[in-house]
Amino acid sequence: MCRRSFLSLLLAFILLVTQVGCWSSKEVEELSIYTGLALDKGELSPLEQDLEKKGSRYFKKNTITTSVQIVPKKSSGSTNQQGGDGGQELNYVNIAGTGDSLLEIFRQLSLRLDRPVIGHHLKVIVVSTELAKLQTMQQLMDFVLRDNDIRPSCMVFLSKDRAANTLVTKYTGEIPSIHILNMLRNHFRTSKVMRGVNLSELDGLMHSKKSYILQNITESKGELEFSGAGIIRGETGHWIGALGQQDVESIGWITGDVEGGAVKTYDKRNEAITYEIKSVKSKITTKVGKDDDISFHVKIESKGRLIENWDEKVDPTETRNMKEAEQEFEKQVTRRIKSLMHKLQSEYKVDVAGFGDHLKIDKPQVWKKVKDDWDYKFSKIPVTFDIKLTITDLGSSAE
């Protein structure tokens, strides 16, 4: 027994001394953890202009302005008044630098900060469309995809205005970058909110040369809103235009990626009626005829409830009135989808609704012939729709 006890103690000692410790750990209080990153067209801030006049210059082109949102703010630090009323204390700080290399800008920020910047907890990246017109998304994402600090789950967005404006808020205690990330949770309420595109998915889209959309963020007086999406052309990697909120919703109808939302239209007396979506199913059928003529047919079926009726002269419980309401809702969804298809096929000439993916799966040999110039070919392909909405109930009241 003594021998066994001795061997057990010896083994425990060996295991103890050979365990790897956290020799490279750093205290969180000693780091500048950033959760938001905004990329804008290069424009020196008044602070940068003043610093450069006083000798803070280095060899660069002012191509891009990078804004970093650092949290938590040092409790002993000075008041940050960005985006809020005078004297309002915010629990984050935004710092910006301008240059032509993201890594170099980050290193330059170290000349102004008292703690190293670390990106392990970066949640969102917002790119201004003005910058995405000039630089490709591949160029803008190259550093963040290479940096081991930044996780591939980080979400990427676009902004029509200055991207830096989306990283400010008027609310005490709120961190804008975290707020943006949490806004994605409302996808189950409305398909105007996309599921979002993270760095890993974006990397795949860029390498595939497919055109795609990214959720657009609009800011006004410290308030943020998801407002449609921006289109990135796969062939060039540049931003080429925008889709509205209902266009984003219509893409959800085509792909079947709708968990909730509402369709509002007007009855024959021009009174508002609203359909609450309970479910949406979509099936895209690929057809290839003679001479490899391609066409698509989309069958969409939805079930929902008549949740709001402003027409007091109509009894919604009557079958005839319910069928008329269904037809009005179907017409409204059809109009929205046709408007989207006009933009995709006639205005922008891109496929961001996944038709190419279905052709690739259903008819791989045909896809090989058209994949190199798919966006243009898609603009000439006929797409038909069969849309059926069924009202299953009238909510908790039949009045």
Side-chain angles (χ1 to χ4, degrees):
M1 292 294 294
C2 292
R3 182 181 177 86
R4 287 185 179 180
S5 299
F6 175 77
L7 290 175
S8 297
L9 288 172
L10 180 62
L11 180 60
F13 177 77
I14 293 172
L15 289 173
L16 181 63
V17 298
T18 56
Q19 295 304 300
V20 177
C22 298
W23 59 270
S24 61
S25 66
K26 297 179 180 178
E27 296 296 330
V28 67
E29 292 83 1
E30 298 176 359
L31 300 172
S32 291
I33 298 174
Y34 66 98
T35 57
L37 179 65
L39 305 178
D40 285 296
K41 180 180 176 183
E43 182 179 312
L44 290 174
S45 66
L47 172 63
E48 289 180 288
Q49 294 176 28
D50 188 52
L51 289 174
E52 288 197 359
K53 288 179 182 179
K54 296 177 180 179
S56 178
R57 292 187 179 185
Y58 64 96
F59 181 71
K60 62 172 180 172
K61 299 175 184 176
N62 293 326
T63 303
I64 182 172
T65 295
T66 302
S67 301
V68 179
Q69 183 159 99
I70 299 173
V71 296
K73 184 184 172 186
K74 290 175 66 177
S75 59
S76 60
S78 59
T79 300
N80 174 24
Q81 297 181 6
Q82 293 190 61
D85 298 329
Q88 175 177 296
E89 185 76 17
L90 302 177
N91 58 353
Y92 67 89
V93 61
N94 293 344
I95 184 169
T98 303
D100 53 2
S101 163
L102 285 180
L103 178 59
E104 187 173 42
I105 292 172
F106 275 100
R107 295 298 181 261
Q108 286 296 123
L109 293 181
S110 298
L111 303 178
R112 294 157 57 187
L113 294 169
D114 61 349
R115 296 171 293 170
V117 173
I118 186 169
H120 290 153
H121 298 281
L122 180 62
K123 304 298 183 184
V124 300
I125 299 173
V126 185
V127 180
S128 75
T129 56
E130 285 299 315
L131 180 63
K133 288 180 187 178
L134 303 173
Q135 311 295 329
T136 68
M137 290 298 293
Q138 289 89 333
Q139 290 173 315
L140 298 175
M141 295 296 110
D142 186 72
F143 166 72
V144 295
L145 286 169
R146 293 174 184 268
D147 189 1
N148 290 330
D149 280 357
I150 298 174
R151 297 174 182 175
S153 58
C154 174
M155 308 302 290
V156 184
F157 303 89
L158 294 174
S159 175
K160 289 184 180 180
D161 300 315
R162 295 285 293 181
N165 293 345
T166 65
L167 297 184
V168 292
T169 183
K170 64 182 181 181
Y171 298 112
T172 305
E174 183 175 87
I175 300 173
S177 52
I178 305 299
H179 177 75
I180 292 171
L181 182 67
N182 290 338
M183 287 166 65
L184 291 175
R185 295 184 297 188
N186 289 322
H187 175 73
F188 84 100
R189 284 294 189 186
T190 171
S191 51
K192 293 178 182 178
V193 176
M194 295 172 54
R195 288 190 181 275
V197 177
N198 62 36
L199 277 176
S200 180
E201 295 166 331
L202 181 60
D203 190 28
L205 289 168
M206 292 190 298
H207 279 89
S208 69
K209 299 297 182 181
K210 289 169 50 179
S211 296
Y212 55 93
I213 58 174
L214 294 173
Q215 185 90 63
N216 186 72
I217 305 174
T218 299
E219 181 275 337
S220 178
K221 298 180 181 179
E223 295 274 0
L224 299 177
E225 181 181 72
F226 285 152
S227 183
I231 303 173
I232 305 296
R233 186 182 293 279
E235 183 181 1
T236 65
H238 288 287
W239 179 89
I240 61 168
L243 298 176
Q245 294 180 6
Q246 290 187 348
D247 296 322
V248 171
E249 197 168 34
S250 294
I251 290 177
W253 281 86
I254 292 173
T255 61
D257 186 18
V258 177
E259 293 184 17
V263 178
K264 185 202 68 179
T265 189
Y266 300 91
D267 64 12
K268 57 188 178 183
R269 274 173 289 278
N270 202 32
E271 296 287 355
I273 52 176
T274 307
Y275 173 89
E276 183 181 20
I277 302 167
K278 293 172 64 177
S279 67
V280 172
K281 293 182 180 179
S282 174
K283 181 179 180 181
I284 299 178
T285 303
T286 306
K287 299 179 181 179
V288 178
K290 295 180 180 180
D291 301 321
D292 289 339
D293 291 334
I294 304 167
S295 64
F296 294 102
H297 179 72
V298 185
K299 183 177 181 179
I300 299 173
E301 295 180 344
S302 173
K303 293 182 179 180
R305 58 173 57 96
L306 180 62
I307 197 66
E308 194 171 9
N309 175 32
W310 284 61
D311 195 338
E312 296 178 339
K313 297 181 180 180
V314 170
D315 181 2
T317 60
E318 292 185 8
T319 302
R320 177 174 57 86
N321 293 332
M322 189 177 296
K323 292 299 179 183
E324 287 181 358
E326 289 176 345
Q327 292 173 3
E328 292 300 326
F329 290 129
E330 289 170 358
K331 290 177 184 178
Q332 181 62 239
V333 173
T334 300
R335 281 193 290 266
R336 294 180 183 182
I337 291 178
K338 286 186 176 180
S339 173
L340 166 72
M341 294 303 298
H342 175 77
K343 292 179 181 179
L344 297 186
Q345 293 191 298
S346 301
E347 188 173 347
Y348 297 120
K349 294 181 172 60
V350 292
D351 172 22
V352 294
F355 288 98
D357 294 333
H358 284 273
L359 179 62
K360 182 179 179 180
I361 294 171
D362 297 338
K363 308 290 182 181
Q365 296 304 318
V366 178
W367 170 251
K368 289 179 181 179
K369 298 177 183 179
V370 300
K371 65 178 183 178
D372 292 334
D373 194 22
W374 172 243
D375 278 336
Y376 175 75
K377 288 184 172 63
F378 170 72
S379 68
K380 307 295 182 182
I381 291 175
V383 183
T384 56
F385 293 89
D386 178 14
I387 300 172
K388 176 64 177 176
L389 276 70
T390 303
I391 298 174
T392 59
D393 64 82
L394 305 174
S396 60
S397 173
E399 294 298 326

